Amino acid sequence: MIRTTRSCSSRLRPSRLAGLALGAALLLTLAAGCRSDSGSGDSTIRVGVALYTQDDTFISAVAQELERLAREAEGGAGDLKINLSVADGRSNQTTQMDQIDQFISRGCDVLCINIVDRTAAAVLIDKAEEAGVPVIFFNRQPVAEDIRRWEQIYYVGARAEEGGALQGQLVLEAWRSGRERWDRNGDGVVQYAMLEGEPGHQDALLRTEYSVKALTDAGLAVEKLASDTANWNRGQAEAKMKQWLEEFGEEIEVVFSNNDDMALGAIDAIREAGLALPLVVGVDATAPALEAVAAGTLQGTVLNDAQGIAGAMLELALALSSGRDPAEVVALEDGHYVWLPYRQITRETLEPSESLPLPSRTKN
Ligand code: BGC
Ligand code: CA
């Protein structure tokens, strides 16, 4: 469903939006835009939401949750109206910068920014400060120095190291309890391949490091057979895994993947090649990943809390736009950070009734 009346960003033309094939679930609410046209005294909150790209399973889930929670908040609070304007940065920082300029010039009360280029935050923060518009960054974490540039800057996300460590522990437990099955060449060493997310992304760098560290800290010997980026993308991961299978075949005992979409891509390639599945793990807990965990093809995943991230952002946005102290509504660390915990998911811990937190759409 796409509602378009007036947008915060003139760049979001309805015709283009209609062609984006966002999946039925992702709502783009371009209600009355960022400008409050209904005169003074209304309780309309205008939030500009800038996504690095809508073509990302996890990010579209966060946007969808934000929309759902905003509608819920409206329903529960008198004449409160929350206008969310969502802009697709199409993985281009210049495009996103224009969208943010538009949000600011059209009078948004708060900006939620999933920045394309994590190193480009300073310019954007200075613009927001000049206009007096608070910014909540999410998922793609600017460096601490930038976050501290202005007191009205926040970051909502999960700690990348923690996600990596939990993933590593999943592998450790499976390896220890099923050594016969996973240690194919019986040498006691974990021969692994690593599918990395986008280069430079904190979750790619730190999940890669901390997942393997969980094994070595526990005294396990590891051997990296292959490691490369597949940009969070299922199709790219499938292609990469296909190459690795040609080179290493069933020598690969463990596949670490920085996210679920790439883990599923690896599984696609292994099945296509008709080989036995190694121990594959992901991060996010998308709906198709949970199905794969239930089916036993994906050993486990780590929940990246889309719902929690969206909820914390909305609470913050409502507090900031009504002049309340954000520390009253969210647990703020160092005055700027809201951290959501990760959680391990395996077939054993998967409740039959586990609500599937994310939509079933995946990147190609
Ligand atoms: C998620 C990925 C997603 C990326 C986008 C990560 O936290 O695990 O699935 O593609 O964020 O920035
Ligand atoms: Ca081995």
Side-chain angles (χ1 to χ4, degrees), residues 216-341:
T216 52
D217 281 357
L220 266 190
V222 300
E223 184 189 354
K224 179 167 74 185
L225 296 182
S227 182
D228 205 354
T229 181
N231 292 305
W232 305 124
N233 182 286
R234 184 168 180 160
Q236 286 185 38
E238 183 182 354
K240 186 69 36 194
M241 192 68 205
K242 201 169 165 230
Q243 283 173 21
W244 292 345
L245 290 174
E246 278 160 22
E247 199 175 342
F248 302 107
E250 291 185 345
E251 280 171 47
I252 299 172
E253 298 172 336
V254 171
V255 178
F256 289 98
S257 174
N258 287 171
N259 79 345
D260 284 342
D261 270 0
M262 296 188 297
L264 295 173
I267 293 172
D268 293 340
I270 298 161
R271 289 180 133 182
E272 176 73 17
L275 300 174
L277 280 170
L279 199 168
V280 186
V281 284
V283 177
D284 280 342
T286 62
L290 292 179
E291 279 165 26
V293 170
T297 53
L298 184 64
Q299 182 65 28
T301 184
V302 181
L303 173 79
N304 192 5
D305 191 357
Q307 206 172 317
I309 291 171
M313 280 204 288
L314 191 65
E315 293 282 2
L316 262 178
L318 295 180
L320 290 167
S321 53
S322 59
R324 270 183 304 144
D325 178 2
E328 283 172 16
V329 296
V330 289
L332 266 190
E333 216 169 281
D334 297 332
H336 294 278
Y337 294 89
V338 182
W339 296 113
L340 279 301

Side-chain angles (χ1 to χ4, degrees), residues 75-238:
D79 61 351
L80 173 70
K81 260 201 71 48
I82 304 168
N83 288 342
L84 288 185
S85 298
V86 182
D88 177 1
R90 304 195 287 279
S91 294
N92 183 317
Q93 191 57 64
T94 311
T95 303
Q96 185 175 65
M97 208 61 105
D98 288 349
Q99 292 167 339
I100 288 163
D101 283 339
Q102 296 270 341
F103 281 156
I104 290 174
S105 70
R106 285 165 189 256
C108 279
D109 298 306
V110 186
L111 300 177
C112 294
I113 302 180
N114 180 224
I115 195 165
V116 174
D117 175 358
R118 294 169 61 214
T119 64
V123 188
L124 204 154
I125 290 168
D126 292 348
K127 281 187 183 186
E129 180 177 8
E130 208 184 301
V133 184
V135 177
I136 306 165
F137 288 97
F138 66 102
N139 169 264
R140 303 165 70 89
Q141 190 183 342
V143 295
E145 196 190 329
D146 286 343
I147 294 283
R148 284 196 295 264
R149 258 177 120 79
W150 182 34
E151 73 269 14
Q152 300 263 65
I153 300 296
Y154 301 89
Y155 178 74
V156 177
R159 292 180 199 274
E161 306 88 331
E162 184 188 318
L166 288 175
Q167 188 190 55
Q169 284 157 23
L170 276 177
V171 171
L172 186 65
E173 278 152 35
W175 181 271
R176 283 184 167 155
S177 60
R179 169 89 193 269
E180 245 81 298
R181 175 174 176 201
W182 304 121
D183 187 11
R184 290 172 165 171
N185 62 356
D187 67 351
V189 178
V190 181
Q191 275 80 23
Y192 73 90
M194 176 72 69
L195 284 163
E196 299 163 31
E198 197 185 340
H201 193 301
Q202 83 279 347
D203 290 337
L205 298 166
L206 296 170
R207 288 176 192 167
T208 296
E209 180 184 343
Y210 282 80
S211 54
V212 175
K213 193 171 177 296
L215 301 193
T216 52
D217 281 357
L220 266 190
V222 300
E223 184 189 354
K224 179 167 74 185
L225 296 182
S227 182
D228 205 354
T229 181
N231 292 305
W232 305 124
N233 182 286
R234 184 168 180 160
Q236 286 185 38
E238 183 182 354

